[in-house]
Structure formats: structure tokens, C-alpha cells
């Protein structure tokens, strides 16, 4: 697995790349924004670990530029603060996940494995599962069987995207809350139910046989129940 690490703090970069190599990742490192962008453009990496605060060009700009150029390499953003703004900005700029410094190596490896498992959007920016397709460009949910489509709100889109990317796995309410709101906050857990219900209504609206199933006491899973 070929990985690009863009991190300007020398000791951090060194420690991280050693750890990653021990886990059999093939690591290239860059220590500033512009060289990170050039490397990401020029080499087909499997994943990019991107620090936010970088000399020359920050991580948000790099992620945005890559996405604009249709380079869809999964990006794990390293944010220094646990601030909501950074996290939201990170995900909005096109990062796939984020990790707040300081973090444990175990946590980093878990995130990288999750990223590697992702069902990445196909070349035209769509994700699909069962009889549904998510169109990134128009933020629409399409039921291919029924030929119906509906626009999704940003949160509904993020919710379905996350469920599709992790198909076959049960996701907890906490995982969904963190993914949608980008932070871990008790008060938001109930809102997850609200957005799940909005999203279910839209699935029903387009006539889809795909359902968000609650797994009692564990979480939620996407299932296609074709009859
Ligand atoms: Ca930095």
C-alpha cells in the first residue's frame, strides 16, 4: 500500500513514517504544501495523510485542489485542534476522514484500514449500493429500478455516503454522529435518529428496496431487500 505523508514537523514525520513502514506501508514524505500537492498529483498513491498547518499551502487547499482535479485518493487529515470548524472544513474540502493530534498509532492504523476498505466513488463521482446510486455532482439519490430521484441535504448525503462506503458493517450512532457533525457530542446523538428518518423517507420516496436497518443495541446497516 503506497502512502503519501505530508507533515512539516520533522520529528512527527519521522516517527510516523517509521511506524507506518513497520506496518508495511510504502511511505513517501513531503514537508510543505506545494511539494505535497505535486507528489499527490504525480504519483498514484493509495492514501494520503495530510497535515492541516503546512508551509506554502495548507491541507484544506491541497485537498480542495486535488478533488477539483478529480484526484480521488483517500485523504486522512491531521488536525491540530479538536475544533469543529477544522473538522468540518477538512471534510468539506474533500478529506475522507480526520484525526485530531495527538493520537495513538493504533487509532491511525484503524483509520487507514477503514479508508482502504472504502468503496470509493467511481470515476464519475457516484457511489452505489443495491438499487440506489448517489450522485455527487447533484447531491441526488437515484433509484435505478424505479427511475426516480430526489435531492438530498448535505447531512442526508453524508449519512448515505458513509453507510454505502461501509456496506456490510454495522455502524453505531456515535460513528454516524461523528461522521455527520464531525465531532463527538452527546447532544447530537438524537439528531442522528432525525436524519435517519429523513433519509429513510427519501429512500421510500424514490421507491427503493434499500433500507437502513436498525440492529438492536448496536447500530445501523444498509440492506438491499430485493424481492
Ligand atoms: Ca503542521
Amino acid at each position: 500500500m503506497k502512502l503519501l505523508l505530508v507533515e512539516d514537523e520533522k520529528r512527527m514525520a519521522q516517527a510516523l513514517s517509521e511506524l507506518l513502514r513497520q506496518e508495511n506501508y510504502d511511505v513517501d514524505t513531503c514537508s510543505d504544501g506545494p511539494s505535497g500537492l505535486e507528489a499527490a498529483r504525480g504519483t498514484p498513491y493509495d492514501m494520503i495523510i495530510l497535515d492541516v498547518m503546512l508551509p506554502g499551502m495548507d491541507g484544506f487547499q491541497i485537498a480542495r485542489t486535488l478533488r477539483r482535479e478529480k484526484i480521488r485518493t483517500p485523504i486522512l487529515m491531521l488536525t491540530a485542534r479538536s475544533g469543529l470548524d477544522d473538522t468540518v472544513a477538512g471534510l468539506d474540502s474533500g478529506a475522507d476522514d480526520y484525526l485530531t493530534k495527538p493520537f495513538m498509532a493504533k487509532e491511525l492504523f484503524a483509520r487507514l484500514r477503514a479508508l482502504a476498505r472504502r468503496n470509493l466513488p467511481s470515476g464519475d463521482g457516484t457511489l452505489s449500493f443495491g438499487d440506489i446510486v448517489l450522485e455527487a455532482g447533484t447531491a441526488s439519490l437515484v433509484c435505478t429500478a424505479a427511475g426516480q430521484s430526489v435531492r438530498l441535504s448535505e447531512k442526508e448525503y453524508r449519512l448515505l455516503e458513509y453507510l454505502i462506503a461501509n456496506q456490510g458493517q454495522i455502524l453505531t450512532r456515535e460513528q454516524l454522529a461523528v461522521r455527520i457533525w464531525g465531532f463527538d457530542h452527546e447532544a447530537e446523538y438524537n439528531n442522528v435518529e432525525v436524519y435517519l428518518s429523513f433519509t429513510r423517507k427519501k429512500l421510500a420516496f424514490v421507491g427503493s428496496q434499500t433500507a437502513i436497518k436498525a440492529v438492536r443495541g448496536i447500530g445501523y446497516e444498509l440492506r438491499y431487500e430485493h424481492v
Side-chain angles (χ1 to χ4, degrees):
M1 183 113 357
K2 202 165 168 56
L3 199 150
L4 174 65
L5 170 65
V6 190
E7 165 66 82
D8 59 317
E9 289 153 62
K10 261 211 173 93
R11 275 195 300 184
M12 177 81 169
Q14 217 159 27
L16 271 182
S17 47
E18 263 168 46
L19 277 169
L20 290 163
R21 284 185 187 118
Q22 282 166 21
E23 292 286 306
N24 294 321
Y25 288 100
D26 178 5
V27 190
D28 287 347
T29 54
C30 290
S31 57
D32 64 68
S35 68
L37 178 62
E38 276 320 296
R41 275 174 171 156
T43 310
Y45 289 101
D46 296 302
M47 274 181 281
I48 301 170
I49 301 176
L50 191 54
D51 190 28
V52 171
M53 300 298 286
L54 291 166
M57 181 184 249
D58 69 28
F60 300 142
Q61 285 174 279
I62 295 174
R64 255 195 304 273
T65 307
L66 291 173
R67 295 309 185 236
R68 204 166 45 227
E69 294 175 4
K70 313 273 184 232
I71 296 169
R72 298 176 201 282
T73 313
I75 296 175
L76 176 67
M77 196 86 97
L78 301 181
T79 62
R81 291 150 288 174
S82 57
L84 174 63
D85 287 352
D86 265 15
T87 301
V88 170
L91 295 173
D92 281 349
S93 69
D96 299 274
D97 202 359
Y98 65 92
L99 200 51
T100 306
K101 290 179 182 175
F103 51 81
M104 310 276 282
K106 213 168 69 178
E107 175 76 13
L108 173 69
F109 298 146
R111 299 295 183 95
L112 291 176
R113 280 194 300 271
L115 273 187
R117 276 200 305 267
R118 281 270 172 90
N119 166 12
L120 288 169
S122 55
D124 55 356
T126 61
L127 265 177
S128 56
F129 177 84
D131 60 355
I132 58 168
V133 173
L134 272 188
E135 284 186 357
T138 54
S140 310
L141 167 67
V142 182
C143 176
T144 49
Q148 297 281 340
S149 75
V150 68
R151 284 288 291 268
L152 297 174
S153 74
E154 189 214 341
K155 289 189 176 66
E156 292 162 350
Y157 186 89
R158 221 174 249 186
L159 184 66
L160 268 182
E161 181 187 50
Y162 191 48
L163 284 163
I164 293 176
N166 292 283
Q167 54 190 268
Q169 290 183 68
I170 298 165
L171 299 169
T172 65
R173 203 151 54 138
E174 290 76 8
Q175 284 176 308
L176 295 174
V178 169
R179 181 63 186 186
I180 300 164
W181 280 276
F183 68 115
D184 197 345
H185 194 279
E186 194 80 34
E188 307 296 347
Y189 292 175
N190 287 334
N191 287 343
V192 173
E193 307 285 343
V194 173
Y195 278 96
L196 282 168
S197 124
F198 290 161
T199 309
R200 283 176 173 137
K201 282 186 185 133
K202 292 206 172 163
L203 283 167
F205 178 81
V206 296
S208 173
Q209 306 290 313
T210 299
I212 303 170
K213 290 283 177 193
V215 183
R216 193 188 280 269
I218 307 176
Y220 302 90
E221 186 189 15
L222 208 55
R223 281 194 213 144
Y224 177 51
E225 301 185 329
H226 184 61
V227 282

